[in-house]
Amino acid sequence: MQVTRERLIQWADPGPTADAVRKAAGIEAIRAIASGDLPQPPISVLVNFTLKEVDEGRVVVEGYPGEEHYNPIGTVHGGFALTLFDTAMSCAVHTLLPGGVGYTTTDIQVRFIRGMTKDTGPVRCEATAVHVGRSTAVAEAKLYDGERRLLGVGTTACAILRP
């Protein structure tokens, strides 16, 4: 007999957060989400991660791997970690942008070093913006488990979207 599990997902309307984020300076927007002054975007509820630290050019995302993230071989799917990398690195870039200026990820490279299971516990993706220019940005990050063992490293590039 197959045992099934269930997880209820509820999220706030993303419209007001998106509107506020588009208008505010990047650091203010990301800090407002991290503090709870603005609701988390639905992706963070769905994938199960939160913004833990926000500074100029630096963001830490904490993720909570669970069975719902498993691939067919019984480990956490790489897409879970990739989502943490993309979020942390792009938000690190965002913290250095003025209000009204957006961005989008153009490419991302991640090297996985260790796998994860639900028993890994919370993981932290620590990202730093390396360069934010007029039209492009670059960031890098490392993903750690609770014992500071390195799980992966990544880099990204973002297109800066100016009005």
Side-chain angles (χ1 to χ4, degrees):
M1 178 175 128
Q2 185 172 354
V3 177
T4 60
R5 291 162 172 72
E6 183 175 305
R7 181 173 162 218
L8 176 64
I9 306 295
Q10 295 180 320
W11 62 91
D13 175 359
T17 296
D19 290 341
V21 167
R22 276 192 284 273
K23 295 173 188 168
I27 188 79
E28 294 169 10
I30 301 302
R31 281 182 174 157
I33 294 169
S35 70
D37 290 340
L38 286 175
Q40 296 181 62
I43 187 69
S44 63
V45 178
L46 179 66
V47 177
N48 200 11
F49 65 84
T50 58
L51 295 170
K52 295 303 270 190
E53 297 176 25
V54 178
D55 295 305
E56 288 186 7
R58 183 176 180 276
V59 168
V60 176
V61 172
E62 187 170 88
Y64 312 95
E67 285 182 343
E68 68 273 19
H69 302 116
Y70 276 19
N71 59 29
I73 61 172
T75 60
V76 172
H77 190 281
F80 171 81
L82 191 59
T83 301
L84 301 182
F85 275 105
D86 187 37
T87 301
M89 292 188 291
S90 61
C91 286
V93 166
H94 194 173
T95 65
L96 297 174
L97 297 177
V101 175
Y103 65 92
T104 189
T105 301
T106 59
D107 64 89
I108 187 168
Q109 170 123 23
V110 171
R111 297 276 187 230
F112 300 115
I113 296 169
R114 288 186 173 84
M116 288 181 271
T117 69
K118 63 181 177 59
D119 297 324
T120 301
V123 297
R124 288 173 54 95
C125 190
E126 301 176 4
T128 304
V130 175
H131 165 80
V132 178
R134 174 151 178 73
S135 60
T136 61
V138 176
E140 61 189 10
K142 293 181 179 178
L143 182 67
Y144 299 98
D145 69 10
E147 296 177 18
R148 295 289 293 171
R149 287 182 298 213
L150 188 62
L151 302 176
V153 297
T155 58
T156 194
C158 295
I160 305 301
L161 308 173
R162 296 187 185 274

